[in-house]
Amino acid sequence: MSVEFGRSIRPRWLLDPDVVFLNNGSFGATPIEVLQVQRQWQERFEREPVEFVGRHLHRELRAAAEVMAQFLGARGEDVVFVENATTGVNAVLRSLVPLLQPGDQVLTTSHVYNAVRQAMRYIAALARAEYVEVPVPFPIASGDQVVEAVRAALTERTRFALFDHVTSPTGIVFPVEKLIMLCKERGILVMIDGAHAPGMIPLTLSALGADWYTGNFHKWLFAPKGCAFLWTAPEYQTITHPVVISHGYGSGYIAEFDFTGTKDWSAYLSAPAGLEFFHQLGAERVYQYNRSLALYAQRVLAEAVGCPLPAPPEMIAYLAAVPLSPSHVRGWSAQQIHDWLFDERRIEVPVFTFGSDLLLRTASQVYNEPQEYQYLASVLCEWIARAD
Ligand SMILES: Cc1ncc(COP(=O)(O)O)c(C=O)c1O
């Protein structure tokens, strides 16, 4: 019999029952049973740390990477664990510096995650390259708008492009296949930031055509915090190095990434337990439940704030962002609105700044249910009524 989603499954997480938690997107939420597996790994390490690292760690990491790679539609030898997508992006950007000439352009879009924007600006400055951010609108009518904006911005000097698979502030799915093709036709190196994608969008990385892909297992695939991966196309593995250089330098991609100094490897080793949890719930059921909940959230929230749907259904996966109009915002900052919703109404939902707009973005995970978005919508209506 299949597990019921929504309120009845929520006790399988430690989530505070007094909070309406609509932000799985920021850090994910790890089920208790996966945390128990993580604890077992930690205890195994602590029993005999020297033996564990010396004789078992490499094999165990590779076994976990193999399982996760299969899920990603990739070969195990192309996948390494990193702490988070930010680290995956930084590893690639730092590795890129020797390839860049002064005046080259590194390009992304205005939907980029801010930490990634900063990392791109940093390496552009190091290499005396130019950071280019292509404006892409939100609200948006179609994925083609993204492709056309990027196409118009590519130049002879564009050397590297990074695109989000699922954008952070706006929560939309980018047409990464088309964006990759656009760049590859011009000989431009491409990285996809798939921070949200594993568990949200089925992936076949070996056929996608990107040069690098990073994604989190801790957001939507139930893994413990600090569990992500970097996939690298075979031809770029020798030039791709971790942010932290350690013993393995020069000994190959796997050796370099699998040991970057002493740390707690338990989150990586528990990634297969997160995947197992996902499969036990039923991958197809999870994809469908979360997506229909996100479409529902988008509809009720757009109605509440009085705007048309800001993105078409084909660009929605598990996140739904709606713009807050300046007349409703009445000078409040994103943080103030977030804090009011949390402190006064016990709703955990992020509010982001996007250009000059404020966006409220919900997430939908299997422990959420429609009533929670109805409640948020009614609170927004109440908040707006105060402004009118
Ligand atoms: C598109 C995107 N990239 C990168 C990140 C960073 O993820 P992490 O904090 O796990 O590094 C996020 C986090 O929300 C994101 O949405």
Side-chain angles (χ1 to χ4, degrees):
M1 213 182 72
S2 54
V3 187
E4 218 180 301
F5 292 164
R7 187 177 321 193
S8 47
I9 199 178
R10 194 166 148 146
R12 290 170 78 175
W13 282 260
L14 293 169
L15 291 167
D16 183 345
D18 295 333
V19 173
V20 175
F21 192 74
L22 301 179
N23 189 4
N24 194 82
S26 282
F27 308 111
T30 315
I32 294 166
E33 54 215 85
V34 177
L35 293 174
Q36 285 166 345
V37 171
Q38 180 179 28
R39 187 70 200 146
Q40 286 164 9
W41 279 113
Q42 286 169 333
E43 286 174 8
R44 194 171 149 196
F45 178 31
E46 291 300 335
R47 253 176 86 82
E48 224 304 6
V50 179
E51 200 217 359
F52 184 77
V53 173
R55 297 204 197 161
H56 303 297
L57 180 64
H58 174 72
R59 186 169 34 82
E60 297 290 3
L61 277 177
R62 283 297 98 212
E66 195 63 54
V67 171
M68 302 315 287
Q70 221 171 57
F71 172 73
L72 299 169
R75 304 182 318 161
E77 61 258 47
D78 300 336
V79 173
V80 287
F81 285 105
V82 288
E83 278 89 347
N84 45 53
T86 308
T87 305
V89 166
N90 272 273
V92 173
L93 292 176
R94 297 296 290 258
S95 301
L96 209 61
V97 171
L99 305 186
L100 294 174
Q101 304 287 330
D104 281 352
Q105 293 175 328
V106 295
L107 174 144
T108 187
T109 78
S110 54
H111 294 234
V112 69
Y113 183 66
N114 189 52
V116 174
R117 168 187 288 122
Q118 302 294 44
M120 288 183 73
R121 291 178 56 218
Y122 175 67
I123 65 110
L126 275 184
R128 288 189 287 138
E130 187 187 344
Y131 170 70
V132 176
E133 194 169 301
V134 183
V136 171
F138 187 83
I140 190 164
S142 76
D144 286 345
Q145 265 183 287
V146 186
V147 178
E148 289 319 311
V150 169
R151 190 197 304 277
L154 296 177
T155 72
E156 298 275 285
R157 293 192 289 130
T158 315
R159 181 85 172 102
F160 170 83
L162 180 145
F163 303 110
D164 301 295
H165 203 159
V166 181
T167 62
S168 171
T170 49
I172 52 177
V173 181
F174 267 8
V176 288
E177 295 82 357
K178 287 185 185 169
L179 292 167
I180 291 167
M181 218 184 296
L182 202 60
C183 291
K184 290 285 101 188
E185 283 164 5
R186 293 162 175 77
I188 297 165
L189 296 166
V190 191
M191 174 167 203
I192 302 299
D193 173 359
H196 285 279
M200 187 187 279
I201 298 172
L203 296 168
T204 311
L205 296 188
S206 57
L208 192 61
D211 299 311
W212 295 276
Y213 192 110
T214 191
N216 285 317
F217 295 134
H218 57 227
K219 277 195 197 291
W220 296 99
L221 210 59
F222 306 116
K225 309 283 178 287
C227 185
F229 72 93
L230 173 67
W231 175 92
T232 304
E235 59 268 43
Y236 294 111
Q237 289 177 4
T238 48
I239 59 122
T240 304
H241 305 289
V243 173
V244 174
I245 300 298
S246 183
H247 300 293
Y249 180 62
S251 305
Y253 176 65
I254 302 290
E256 291 200 25
F257 278 88
D258 274 5
F259 191 90
T260 55
T262 306
K263 65 179 170 193
D264 182 354
W265 290 274
S266 62
Y268 299 171
L269 298 168
S270 307
L275 180 61
E276 171 73 23
F277 186 87
F278 179 73
H279 283 310
Q280 273 173 14
L281 300 183
E284 274 315 309
R285 281 186 72 221
V286 175
Y287 288 133
Q288 278 176 26
Y289 180 86
N290 290 353
R291 181 156 185 273
S292 41
L293 206 49
L295 289 168
Y296 175 78
Q298 190 201 35
R299 185 160 53 76
V300 295
L301 294 174
E303 267 168 30
V305 301
C307 73
L309 294 182
E314 65 273 15
M315 296 185 87
I316 298 296
Y318 298 175
L319 302 173
V322 289
L324 302 174
S325 86
S327 63
H328 298 151
V329 168
R330 55 190 191 277
W332 286 30
S333 68
Q335 189 66 44
Q336 283 172 319
I337 299 171
H338 165 272
D339 291 352
W340 184 83
L341 289 167
F342 186 74
D343 295 336
E344 304 297 327
R345 297 294 180 268
R346 307 311 282 163
I347 301 172
E348 185 61 78
V349 67
V351 181
F352 296 115
T353 306
F354 180 70
S356 54
D357 296 329
L358 292 189
L359 307 176
L360 177 137
R361 188 200 75 186
T362 62
S364 301
Q365 181 55 297
V366 292
Y367 53 73
N368 292 122
E369 57 185 20
Q371 289 85 330
E372 294 175 305
Y373 306 94
Q374 282 164 12
Y375 172 59
L376 172 61
S378 70
V379 168
L380 284 176
C381 288
E382 174 202 343
W383 184 72
I384 288 166
R386 292 184 180 194
D388 291 338

